[in-house]
Amino acid sequence: MNEVFRCNRRVTLEQCGEDRALSMGQYIQPKILAEPNSSKEIPITVRAVFLKSLNKTVTQNTQSDVLLHPTFVHINGLKACTNVVLKLKYSITYTEAGEITKADIHFLLGTVSSSMLPLQQQFQVQFLQQNIKSFPLSGNPGYIPGLPLIAGFEIESQVVQSTNRYGQFTIFHSPAEQNCLLAEGLRKPVVFGYNMVTGCKIRLTKTTNCQLVGRRLKKLLMGESFPDYISSFGNSAAQNLQDWVPVHFSIFAAKGQEPCLIPLVYDIRVKWTKYGSLMNPQAKIVNVAVQMISSAFSKTELEHGRTAQVSTVVSFIDVSAPAEADYKAQPTIDAKLPSNFFFPFV
């Protein structure tokens, strides 16, 4: 499973060099096996190291093979710790057979001062399949079962959106702070058959630019690459158009003259049916409906301040017809008697 998550960590600057969770070396030590129960180990290779200063400028360290350790320093009379792991990303490459062939890691190190505590770290795991064919997202089918790929670091609070190479349905991943503005770029896949709910909160005030917030929330709810079609089966080929179901997207907005209209609910409903043998039926998607529901907020509500809940709901609905007993016709007798069957009475 591809994962992106964050955690807050309490750090004592004077002792930062002793905190293993802040050091690069802690994250290149894990042993990765090529296959379960195998003895073949895949080394973790450091591919890139980016350095972020106190003024938020980012440079790349040309000596990525050299481990940098957290160090307590004074910068212009300010207590700080350098070479602290702020973000990291594992990229695991595997074959179609499931064997891991390569493991890379990218680091973003930074200088941390007391004003930045508690420290927030971001960790990411990304799985890449070798020699996999990807299709252009525009005008091509999407795909529900599977995992999206998420790439990129956040630089200067700019969140890099997920690069959804396969056009899957994804929903935003709610951060621990429940702040919608921190959830941008954090996505998780819609897995077939699993009903899901995720939510976050946003604060609306009289200074809120509702149009800007509305656009950001719409992007948060829909993600980077909204698919036009969904595969009926998990292995539907792109060239078989009859195996793809169109996504019906609609927008519902509250009527009225309120000045602020914000999308708050993103409802995904997937209808599916059992297909094939009763002994071993296959799941077949027959309809996908997505609705975005917006709510209006009055000027009075904005003046007093209002915290709104933003949520995404995914539901899978089984519309299979109930099995019915099948009565066969009575058998007919087709018997041929020998010509002398009634002898000697004939």
Side-chain angles (χ1 to χ4, degrees), residues 94 128-135 149 165-166 168:
Y94 65 97
L128 303 172
Q129 184 174 345
Q130 286 183 348
N131 301 325
I132 191 166
K133 295 181 180 179
S134 59
F135 302 96
L149 299 179
R165 290 175 54 191
Y166 309 115
Q168 298 104 332

Side-chain angles (χ1 to χ4, degrees), residues 71-83:
T71 305
F72 175 69
V73 296
H74 285 86
I75 301 178
N76 298 327
L78 183 68
K79 294 181 179 180
C81 187
T82 61
N83 302 327

Side-chain angles (χ1 to χ4, degrees), residues 144 169-171 190-197 221 226-231 245-250 252 265-273 284-293 311-319:
I144 281 186
F169 253 137
T170 61
I171 60 176
V190 175
V191 182
F192 179 83
Y194 288 85
N195 295 336
M196 307 170 69
V197 178
L221 294 172
F226 184 79
D228 297 322
Y229 292 85
I230 294 296
S231 59
V245 178
V247 178
H248 302 283
F249 180 76
S250 60
F252 177 80
V265 179
Y266 193 59
D267 185 21
I268 302 174
R269 299 187 182 185
V270 181
K271 294 182 180 180
W272 65 281
T273 183
K284 178 182 180 181
I285 296 175
V286 296
N287 182 269
V288 180
V290 180
Q291 186 178 64
M292 182 178 292
I293 304 175
S311 60
T312 294
V313 181
V314 182
S315 56
F316 289 83
I317 305 170
D318 186 357
V319 294

Side-chain angles (χ1 to χ4, degrees), residues 159-176:
V159 180
V160 180
Q161 281 281 353
S162 63
T163 304
N164 193 352
R165 290 175 54 191
Y166 309 115
Q168 298 104 332
F169 253 137
T170 61
I171 60 176
F172 73 87
H173 183 73
S174 179

Side-chain angles (χ1 to χ4, degrees), residues 172 180 198-202 204 213-214 217-218 221 252 261-267 291-297 306-313:
F172 73 87
C180 291
T198 184
C200 60
K201 296 180 180 180
I202 188 166
L204 304 175
V213 172
L217 290 181
K218 183 178 179 180
L221 294 172
F252 177 80
L261 194 64
I262 302 293
L264 296 182
V265 179
Y266 193 59
D267 185 21
Q291 186 178 64
M292 182 178 292
I293 304 175
S294 300
S295 297
F297 296 90
R306 174 74 181 274
T307 299
Q309 178 74 27
V310 181
S311 60
T312 294
V313 181

Side-chain angles (χ1 to χ4, degrees), residues 314-339:
V314 182
S315 56
F316 289 83
I317 305 170
D318 186 357
V319 294
S320 303
E324 297 181 358
D326 187 11
Y327 297 97
K328 294 184 178 180
Q330 291 292 334
T332 59
I333 299 176
D334 185 13
K336 294 182 179 181
L337 302 178
S339 59

